[in-house]
Structures are given as C-alpha cells and as structure tokens.
Amino acid sequence: MSKYLIINADDFGYNDEQNAAIKELLQDGLITSTSILAVCDKSENAINFAKINAVDIGVHLTINSDNATEKWHSISSAQSFTGGLPSEQKDLIFHTTRRDVRQELEAQYDFITKGGATVDHADNHCATLYGINARRFYIDAFDFCAKYNLPFRFPKTSGFLERQLGRKIPNILKSYQQMIVRAGEKRGVKMLDDLVSNPWSIERIKDRNTLEKYYLNAIDNCIDGVTEIFLHPALPLETEQGEWQKRVFEYEILKSGCLLDRAKQKGIEVVSWKIFNQ
C-alpha cells in the first residue's frame, strides 16, 4: 500500500501573524492544506485570500474558546453559546446541546462558503468533537461531513492518541476510538489513517531543533495510507511570548522545506485532501 502525507497549517484566521505565515507557506508551496477558524476576527481576511488564490481550505470546526477573558464569538448565536463559545470543558459537557452544536457547525461552513472559499475537508479545534468530553458531538460532526461530502480529520489507528498521551493506551480507549471510526464509516465519511501533531509545551521543546526532529521522525515512521501532520505556524508576536514561540518554530520548520524533503527521501507522496476524492 502507498504512503501519502498531508501537511496542514491550522488556525488560518486566528490573527494577523498566523495569517501572514500561512499565506506565505501556501504561496511557496510548502504546505498542502490549511483550515479556517471562522470564529476569529481575522477569518474574513483568510477566506478572502483563499477565494482570490483559488486555495481549497478546511473548516476548522470550533465550539470552544481558548481562554475565558477573550471568548470567540458564535457565528450561529445558538442559545448554548450566548456570551461566546465556552472556554471550560464542563460547560460543553453540562450546558451545551447537540442541536446547538449542529447549528454552529452549519453556520461556520456557511460563513466560509458564502465568503467565496471552497471547503475540501473538516477538522476540529481542541478535539471537542472527538468524544473526549463524553458527549456524542462526533455524531454531529460526522452527520455534517456526510451532508457536505467532506472527509474528516479523525485517525483510524491509535498512534495519534499514544503520541499525544506519551504512552500506550488501554484497550478500552482503543475500543472507544474504533467505535467512533465505525460511526463515521457508517455514514460514509472518509478519515485519515494516522494523524500527527506535537503535544509538548515550549518548556519541553526548548529549541527548534528538538521540534524539527519530532516531525522528521514522524515522517520516517509514516504508516501506509493517508497521514496528516498539522502544525500552527505563525510569525513572532511581541505581545505573546512563551508558548507562542512554538508556533514560530513550526513556521521556521515549514519554511525550511525539510518536511517536504524528508517525505521525498522516504518515497512518501505529499498530497492535499483531494486525495480522498480520487
């Protein structure tokens, strides 16, 4: 079986620094995918870029905010999201209805497509639609993807979970993952074979070289089928230090072209999400 690799830049629309980095990487052919955070203030700028440059993009389905002090706005204005998207998992667990989640997913898709951009896949911010909160929001995500014939970022194998947690996962968690995979397959939704992103904090990473080695090692160990590596590249931001530096490192890694070079060395075909439509 052949090996295919999607190189994705998440959070297009997050802010000016993220937008500038992703635009540059797209124009230079150093990434093969990106996805738009429709709930952020700079999303219209990202959508307009995708429209003008005929770049197919993903909808980065989002039902939470990254922090409580600056909550992202709900596009649907569904009742569960009055006052902004929740920043706490407990609010998603106890105070969010699936009806409102479905309404928000639809609104985010409509916002992007009515802006003139073409959506080629769906993915998710902070794994809130993956069942980690014990809610069946993954069913709503799969129904949404089936409606619009979109592949969804969810791995069919357990490697992603093990890398994120840093250990082997118990069989009960593997079974839970496979239950979710079957729910997607039942609806005809196409999914990734594997998924890679770096879960470490900047304190553990310390320098760009450590992070680069992580991603190169992931390419070296790419499994058969379609794998996506997703990063969050951004230019430096004076008002954000600490964890923001990880995004700058990821921008520099992508800008160097080293991931594309390693994939070529390993005989891995670098593709976009269009691979699922072939």
Side-chain angles (χ1 to χ4, degrees):
M1 188 174 178
S2 298
K3 297 179 179 181
Y4 302 96
L5 178 65
I6 298 168
I7 302 178
N8 176 278
D10 260 9
D11 293 354
F12 199 15
Y14 187 91
N15 61 15
D16 288 330
E17 289 73 18
Q18 196 97 16
N19 281 9
I22 293 174
K23 289 175 184 178
E24 182 180 350
L25 294 166
L26 284 168
Q27 289 172 326
D28 291 345
L30 295 168
I31 56 177
T32 60
S33 174
T34 187
S35 46
I36 289 181
L37 255 170
V39 297
C40 290
D41 291 339
K42 300 299 180 179
S43 60
E44 287 191 47
N45 177 272
I47 293 167
N48 193 50
F49 176 87
K51 174 185 175 182
I52 292 172
N53 293 276
V55 175
D56 291 352
I57 46 84
V59 51
H60 198 54
L61 299 171
T62 305
I63 58 171
N64 72 295
S65 296
D66 280 354
N67 63 69
T69 57
E70 297 180 359
K71 288 185 177 180
W72 290 329
H73 64 278
S74 161
I75 293 180
S76 68
S77 299
Q79 186 173 355
S80 297
F81 304 129
T82 301
L85 300 178
S87 59
E88 299 291 335
Q89 282 288 348
K90 63 181 177 62
D91 290 323
L92 288 174
I93 295 170
F94 298 113
H95 305 298
T96 303
T97 70
R98 289 181 55 196
R99 179 187 61 191
D100 287 350
V101 167
R102 292 193 296 270
Q103 186 177 337
E104 183 65 27
L105 303 188
E106 290 279 352
Q108 292 177 21
Y109 177 83
D110 287 346
F111 179 72
I112 293 172
T113 55
K114 287 178 180 176
T118 300
V119 174
D120 65 357
H121 77 283
D123 49 43
N124 176 219
H125 191 67
C126 293
T128 53
L129 302 176
Y130 289 175
I132 62 169
N133 42 33
R135 296 295 304 275
R136 299 177 76 232
F137 296 145
Y138 56 87
I139 297 294
D140 306 304
F142 284 138
D143 286 343
F144 165 84
C145 289
K147 177 178 178 180
Y148 295 106
N149 193 29
L150 298 174
F152 187 53
R153 176 195 283 163
F154 191 85
K156 292 189 286 187
T157 55
S158 61
F160 177 71
L161 292 175
E162 293 177 349
R163 286 186 294 270
Q164 295 300 104
L165 296 174
R167 63 180 183 273
K168 292 288 185 180
I169 61 174
N171 288 335
I172 190 170
L173 191 52
K174 289 183 180 180
S175 297
Y176 184 52
Q177 180 192 14
Q178 287 307 303
M179 179 192 72
I180 295 174
V181 169
R182 289 194 296 273
E185 291 177 335
K186 180 180 179 181
R187 291 161 174 79
V189 177
K190 297 174 182 177
M191 290 165 280
L192 299 164
D193 294 287
D194 200 5
L195 180 62
V196 176
S197 192
N198 182 280
W200 301 341
S201 70
I202 192 65
E203 280 133 15
R204 178 174 178 181
I205 294 167
K206 298 192 186 315
D207 56 39
R208 169 185 154 180
N209 189 50
T210 299
L211 191 57
E212 184 174 302
K213 284 182 178 178
Y214 180 93
Y215 286 119
L216 291 174
N217 182 66
I219 294 175
D220 290 344
N221 292 283
C222 203
I223 67 172
D224 288 346
V226 182
T227 296
E228 182 192 53
I229 291 179
F230 71 94
L231 305 89
H232 304 83
L235 299 183
L237 182 58
E238 289 184 7
T239 58
E240 294 282 351
Q241 303 299 322
E243 291 302 320
W244 192 263
Q245 184 59 44
K246 180 178 180 181
R247 296 187 180 229
V248 177
F249 285 157
E250 293 193 331
Y251 162 72
E252 293 172 348
I253 290 166
L254 289 167
K255 185 66 178 173
S256 75
C258 66
L259 303 188
L260 291 173
D261 290 342
R262 182 59 64 89
K264 183 177 181 180
Q265 291 169 11
K266 294 294 179 177
I268 300 169
E269 186 177 351
V270 179
V271 297
S272 71
W273 280 87
K274 290 179 181 177
I275 186 71
F276 288 103
N277 295 324
Q278 294 180 0

